[in-house]
Amino acid sequence: MTWSSASTVRIALLDDHAVVRYGLAGRLSEEPDFQIVGTFATSKEMMVALRTAPADLLVIDYSLGANDIDGLNLIRALRVRFPDSKILVSSSHYNPATVALAMKAGARGFVGKSQELSELIQAIRTVSVGRVHLNNNMAAELSSMLSTEPGESAREGEVVSDSLSENSELSPREREVLRCCLDGMTVTQIAEKFARSVKTISGQKQSAFRKLGVRNDSELFKIQHQLEDL
């Protein structure tokens, strides 16, 4: 397929690893319909630059440096400040729970860093025209993870279950409970710590799980890396 200059996609790259950043910029620049408008090591650098050099599509890493905003908070911040820019995540944190949360936060696609560059290029073109991109295998994993009716699969763009579609903002008490869970405490121990009933703590834990789209402690620990700001 021939791509004309009229369909040029302006792309901004965010990755705290210089080798990855410049490698991606060099490869994507070879595509006639791609224009790299900036490469950034921090979210602050990207947000400052985007005010004067807007991009159609933001390719961002999910986990940045220790002192930088990342994960869900980064996606939400970019959506609020640059609503006309579509977000595509490229990350080594490539599992159904993380992908589902990223898509719920506002990403339009997610590509694992272990995948071929051709997958990323396809994802950029798909997302740039307003469609959702997920690898077929990941889409299938999400479909099996989500609470769909028997025989029903999640359609493109509907990658988030009803539980994830609910208000994903955790209350202060739900955050307290999750912090304790991640520290290995049982519901009974948490109830004793905060002088609340076991029933209350259990309800707050289950409410937090619904908002995060996880079903048990095992799934919670799988997304522990993105809950460090609790």
Side-chain angles (χ1 to χ4, degrees), residues 139-140 142-144 146-156 158-159:
L142 282 177
S143 294
S144 65
L146 302 182
S147 54
T148 53
E149 294 296 324
E152 179 185 357
S153 61
R155 294 185 292 275
E156 182 181 52
E158 296 180 350
V159 297

Side-chain angles (χ1 to χ4, degrees), residues 29 57 60 71 78 82 124 127 129 133 205 221 228:
S29 294
L57 189 138
I60 65 171
L78 290 171
F82 308 101
I124 289 173
V127 172
V129 296
H133 177 91
K205 180 179 178 180
F221 278 98
E228 293 174 353

